[in-house]
């Protein structure tokens, strides 16, 4: 019953007590009399079922008569990582339950909320630039006698609360990653003309009881947060200071959300966390004395081994059993948390719906720099892990993160990173120049001594080397059949479709009439959420192109 109530609230059909603020016009309007069916025994028409409500919630629009025209309208923008996409969905779900409506048009908004990132200076600068644009819009509204409330959410709010509030008095609401439940109250305070902020970090907030309204354009993929925060304390990283200590969401709530997504027709779920493979559910008493798993061979950590709890292998096993036609991915793991018994790797190899793709963030190829970063491993240990992964999961696709120009990085260190990148030959890479962040260990103890022009040149060299090696790795797939989950039309041509293969590589192919692999049903064009078998004909560093062979299913393709 609780699930039904939540679904009705998420769909906007059940208004909770203390619903959120309305626009001034709505507050002045008088309510008309309630409409009742004629006659005491009047028959009620058949209503929509639960799946209809869930589907409508996933599309961000309430079913039935439509949103309350007097509700305050919220415009949301997301910057940064996948966690921020998930945070946007959590924030919107909370606001929707409290009577707000959502708009995709900035000019219609009563409230503008920016979900922000603080990992690099460039990410924060994008927000300041956006605020300058919103300042003009806010001033225009004031001249017209109406109000626009602006809020900063997420990591930048946590890091720069005072500066955000005081800089030109433009921002009305500041809410850190653990304060989204407080958004209705903060916005109510802001409506009275005061600034409002909550950036308190929590030791236990996981939003476990919030089933987020999915906002992805295609509706075929979704992110599911399984944990928040990080305990690794890498010297360069701001995350422990903006998202707090590591805590895991109970498995039961994760499984409930994944089942709901399966009912909605979602075909791919990505389990999210700063360090997913250190997941540890402590909600069940009988598992609180379980021994801590070992680290990968040659790896160490800054904190003591954590005993107790259900671990990531158990979660991955349970999630993969929910829907055999739903792909499962996870990001981002830490290399240290792949124990030698390889239980996670065994699951990836055995389960056809767990993608044969791993993100192994290296950050540097120099042992000396890795030590300065406090990553807990050497170059040699990392390469041993890569070989172990490839032996355990043949054909696995690998991606990684690299930072160039970290404190004290020499030209020799840079060349070692270049050689690691070439040796591993990643399919996907995320490469950035180092940006020092306040509060981090590097800020207090190290010198940002690599000149900006040197960082820029080294980054360009890393990108060129990555693209060259990724093109070679992807070229090995030419001539092979790849199972592609269709996401929608290609951005460059309405005559082509775009999707991703098991390795998370983009695949583009012509939109044509296709037979069903099972031989049942008439030929038809593939739709978002369909699986299509594609023969790869060409490859670049970022994209595969091919010829579609047939529509199929995940289970059928795995059985071939």
């Amino acid at each position: 019953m609780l699930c039904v109530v939540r679904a009705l609230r998420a769909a906007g059909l059940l208004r909770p007590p203390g619903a959120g603020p309305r626009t001034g016009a709505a507050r002045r309007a008088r309510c008309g009399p309630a409409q009742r069916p004629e006659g005491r025994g009047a028959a009620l028409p058949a209503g929509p079922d639960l799946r209809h409500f869930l589907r409508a919630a996933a599309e961000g629009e309430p079913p039935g008569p439509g949103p309350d025209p007097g509700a305050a309208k919220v415009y949301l923008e997301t910057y940064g990582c996948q966690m921020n996409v998930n945070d946007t969905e959590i924030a919107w779900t909370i606001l929707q339950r409290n009577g707000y409506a959502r708009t995709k048009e900035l000019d219609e908004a009563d409230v503008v909320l920016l979900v922000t990132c603080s990992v690099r200076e460039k990410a924060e600068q994008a927000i300041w630039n956006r605020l300058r644009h919103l300042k003009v819009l806010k001033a225009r509204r004031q001249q017209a006698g109406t109000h626009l409330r602006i809020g900063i959410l997420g990591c930048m709010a946590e890091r720069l609360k005072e500066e955000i509030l005081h800089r030109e008095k433009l921002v009305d609401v500041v809410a850190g990653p653990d304060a989204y439940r407080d958004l209705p109250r903060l916005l109510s305070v802001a409506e009275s003309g005061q600034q409002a902020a909550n950036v308190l970090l929590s030791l236990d907030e996981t939003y476990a009881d919030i089933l987020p309204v999915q906002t992805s354009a295609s509706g075929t993929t979704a992110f599911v947060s399984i944990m928040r925060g990080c305990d690794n304390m890498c010297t360069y990283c701001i995350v422990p200071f903006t998202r707090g200590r590591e805590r895991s969401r109970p498995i039961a709530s994760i499984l409930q959300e994944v089942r709901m997504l399966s009912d909605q027709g979602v075909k791919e779920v990505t389990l999210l966390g700063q360090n997913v493979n250190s997941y540890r559910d402590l909600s069940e008493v009988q598992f609180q004395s379980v021994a801590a798993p070992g680290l990968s061979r040659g790896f160490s950590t800054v904190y003591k081994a954590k005993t107790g709890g259900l671990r990531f292998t158990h979660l991955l096993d349970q999630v993969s059993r929910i829907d055999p036609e739903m792909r499962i991915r996870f990001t981002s793991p830490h290399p240290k948390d792949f124990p030698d018994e390889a239980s996670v790797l065994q699951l990836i190899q055995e389960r056809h719906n767990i993608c044969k793709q791993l993100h192994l963030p290296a950050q540097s190829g120099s042992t000396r720099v890795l030590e300065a970063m406090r990553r807990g491993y050497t170059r040699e240990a990392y390469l041993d892990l890569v070989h172990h992964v490839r032996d355990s999961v043949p054909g696995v696709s690998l991606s990684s993160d690299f930072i160039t120009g970290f404190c004290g990085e020499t030209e020799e260190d840079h060349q070692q990173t270049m050689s690691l990148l070439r040796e591993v030959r990643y399919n996907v890479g995320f490469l950035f120049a180092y940006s020092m962040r306040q509060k981090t260990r590097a800020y207090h103890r190290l010198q940002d001594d690599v000149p900006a022009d040197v960082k820029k040149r080294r980054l360009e060299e890393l990108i060129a080397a990555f693209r060259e090696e990724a093109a070679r790795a992807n070229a090995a797939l030419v001539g092979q059949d790849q199972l592609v989950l269709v996401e929608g039309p290609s951005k460059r041509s309405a005559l082509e479709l775009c999707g991703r293969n098991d390795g998370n590589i983009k695949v583009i192919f012509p939109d044509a009439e296709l037979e069903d692999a099972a031989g049942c049903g008439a030929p038809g064009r593939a739709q978002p959420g369909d699986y299509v078998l594609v023969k790869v004909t060409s490859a670049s560093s970022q994209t595969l192109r091919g010829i579609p062979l047939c529509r199929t299913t995940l289970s059928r393709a795995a059985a071939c």
Side-chain angles (χ1 to χ4, degrees):
M1 186 62 189
L2 182 58
C3 297
V4 174
V5 172
R6 285 176 179 164
L8 292 173
R9 283 181 177 169
L13 297 180
L14 187 61
R15 189 176 177 83
R22 300 178 182 275
T23 59
R27 288 194 301 271
R28 291 189 295 270
R30 296 182 62 87
C31 296
Q35 299 297 312
R36 299 180 183 274
E38 294 183 8
R40 183 174 296 177
L44 294 175
D49 61 14
L50 177 58
R51 184 168 297 191
H52 174 76
F53 296 148
L54 294 174
R55 187 180 301 112
E59 293 168 356
E61 296 290 342
D68 183 342
K73 294 181 179 179
V74 181
Y75 179 87
L76 288 140
E77 284 185 356
T78 308
Y79 296 80
C81 67
Q82 296 155 319
M83 286 294 293
N84 281 1
V85 174
N86 185 255
D87 277 9
T88 301
E89 294 169 348
I90 291 171
W92 165 231
T93 302
I94 291 168
L95 291 173
Q96 188 184 53
R97 290 180 179 182
N98 283 270
Y100 287 84
R102 187 166 185 181
T103 179
K104 294 182 179 180
E105 301 298 327
L106 180 59
D107 289 339
E108 295 179 356
D110 301 299
V111 178
V112 175
L113 299 177
L114 308 183
V115 184
T116 63
C117 174
S118 264
V119 172
R120 284 171 291 278
E121 182 179 354
K122 185 177 180 181
E124 291 184 353
Q125 191 56 51
I127 300 300
W128 291 121
N129 293 341
R130 185 56 167 154
L131 287 174
R132 277 192 282 272
H133 171 76
L134 293 175
K135 180 181 180 180
V136 175
L137 180 60
K138 189 170 186 176
R140 195 183 305 145
R141 292 283 188 89
Q142 289 174 336
Q143 291 173 359
T146 59
H147 296 286
L148 177 67
R149 304 302 177 196
I150 298 173
I152 298 295
L153 314 185
C155 294
M156 187 171 169
E158 191 70 43
R159 197 179 87 80
L160 296 174
K161 169 194 166 185
E162 297 297 333
E163 183 176 354
I164 291 169
L165 288 174
H166 296 147
R167 193 161 164 174
E168 302 181 45
K169 301 291 183 180
L170 175 64
V171 174
D172 303 286
V173 168
V174 174
D178 292 346
Y180 300 144
R181 293 183 193 272
D182 201 27
L183 275 173
R185 184 190 68 83
L186 296 174
L187 288 170
S188 181
V189 171
E191 193 178 4
S192 70
Q194 303 177 64
Q195 289 181 307
N198 183 346
V199 293
L200 293 175
L201 288 174
S202 169
L203 291 175
D204 54 16
E205 178 63 271
T206 63
Y207 300 105
D209 61 322
I210 304 291
L211 297 181
V213 175
Q214 299 300 321
T215 58
S216 66
S218 68
T220 62
T221 63
F223 299 124
V224 174
S225 174
I226 68 169
M227 62 190 304
R228 300 179 74 84
C230 184
D231 290 345
N232 288 319
M233 302 299 292
C234 300
T235 56
Y236 56 83
C237 188
I238 191 67
V239 168
F241 304 97
T242 58
R243 287 189 171 268
R245 298 296 299 272
E246 194 174 284
R247 64 269 190 204
S248 298
R249 181 178 167 188
I251 283 180
S253 73
I254 297 169
L255 298 181
Q256 180 186 8
E257 183 175 348
V258 174
R259 289 189 190 100
M260 184 186 78
L261 293 171
S262 175
D263 288 341
Q264 291 175 11
V266 169
K267 291 297 183 69
E268 180 179 294
V269 160
T270 301
L271 306 178
L272 286 182
Q274 261 73 37
N275 189 17
V276 291
N277 52 343
S278 69
Y279 174 87
R280 192 169 61 111
D281 174 15
L282 294 169
S283 64
E284 306 218 14
V285 176
Q286 65 267 35
F287 297 108
Q288 290 188 2
S289 60
V290 175
L295 299 176
S296 303
R297 187 182 298 111
F299 289 71
S300 62
T301 181
V302 297
Y303 54 80
K304 294 181 180 180
K306 300 175 183 178
T307 59
L310 291 170
R311 301 290 174 158
F312 183 64
T313 303
H314 182 82
L315 171 65
L316 189 61
D317 170 54
Q318 294 299 305
V319 168
S320 68
R321 294 177 185 273
I322 289 174
D323 185 349
E325 291 302 311
M326 177 189 279
R327 275 179 172 170
I328 308 299
R329 301 186 190 275
F330 57 88
T331 195
S332 176
H334 193 289
K336 75 178 189 307
D337 292 309
F338 285 102
D340 290 335
E341 62 265 24
S343 50
V344 170
L345 300 179
Q346 288 172 5
L347 269 180
I348 295 173
Q349 175 60 19
E350 293 169 1
R351 300 287 166 83
H352 73 273
N353 61 336
I354 303 179
C355 292
K356 311 298 186 286
Q357 175 245 331
L358 276 180
H359 187 64
L360 292 178
Q363 306 301 358
S364 176
S366 162
T367 294
R368 194 184 69 82
V369 173
L370 289 169
E371 184 177 358
M373 290 178 165
R374 294 217 302 181
R375 289 292 290 170
Y377 53 85
T378 63
R379 172 194 175 96
E380 292 72 24
Y382 180 88
L383 285 172
D384 285 346
L385 176 62
V386 169
H387 297 320
H388 176 52
V389 166
R390 284 183 163 153
D391 288 342
S392 302
V393 188
V396 66
S397 171
L398 295 182
S399 59
S400 191
D401 298 332
F402 284 93
I403 297 172
T404 188
F406 185 67
C407 306
E409 183 188 71
T410 65
E411 196 62 33
E412 181 181 353
D413 295 325
H414 170 61
Q415 291 303 321
Q416 289 178 8
T417 300
M418 290 277 287
S419 68
L420 178 77
L421 193 150
R422 290 190 179 280
E423 182 174 347
V424 176
R425 189 172 287 178
Y426 301 95
N427 298 89
V428 178
F430 303 92
L431 295 79
F432 303 96
Y434 174 62
S435 175
M436 181 169 273
R437 306 279 78 197
Q438 291 181 1
K439 297 185 179 179
T440 62
R441 186 180 177 90
Y443 178 82
H444 291 291
R445 303 202 178 189
L446 302 175
Q447 293 293 319
D448 187 10
D449 53 1
V450 179
D453 60 331
V454 175
K455 288 181 183 179
K456 181 174 182 293
R457 188 257 303 167
R458 290 177 182 173
L459 180 60
E460 290 171 349
E461 290 176 359
L462 279 180
I463 291 172
F466 159 73
R467 287 179 175 169
E468 183 180 334
E469 296 303 325
R472 289 176 178 167
N474 292 344
L477 300 176
V478 173
Q480 295 185 17
D481 295 346
Q482 295 287 304
L483 185 65
V484 178
L485 176 60
V486 179
E487 295 176 349
S490 168
K491 292 182 179 179
R492 296 190 177 182
S493 172
L495 301 177
E496 295 179 316
L497 293 175
C498 178
R500 293 186 180 272
N501 69 354
D502 189 79
N504 209 25
I505 302 169
K506 184 184 294 184
V507 183
I508 298 173
F509 58 93
D511 183 5
E513 294 278 331
L514 296 175
E515 299 282 349
D516 185 275
C520 54
R525 295 183 182 276
Q527 301 298 317
D530 286 347
Y531 289 104
V532 174
L533 203 60
V534 177
K535 181 173 286 295
V536 179
T537 57
S538 65
S540 69
S541 62
Q542 295 179 307
T543 306
L544 303 175
R545 286 185 170 272
I547 301 170
L549 301 178
C550 63
R551 288 175 291 126
T552 186
T553 66
L554 193 57
S555 302
R556 189 179 297 122
C560 294

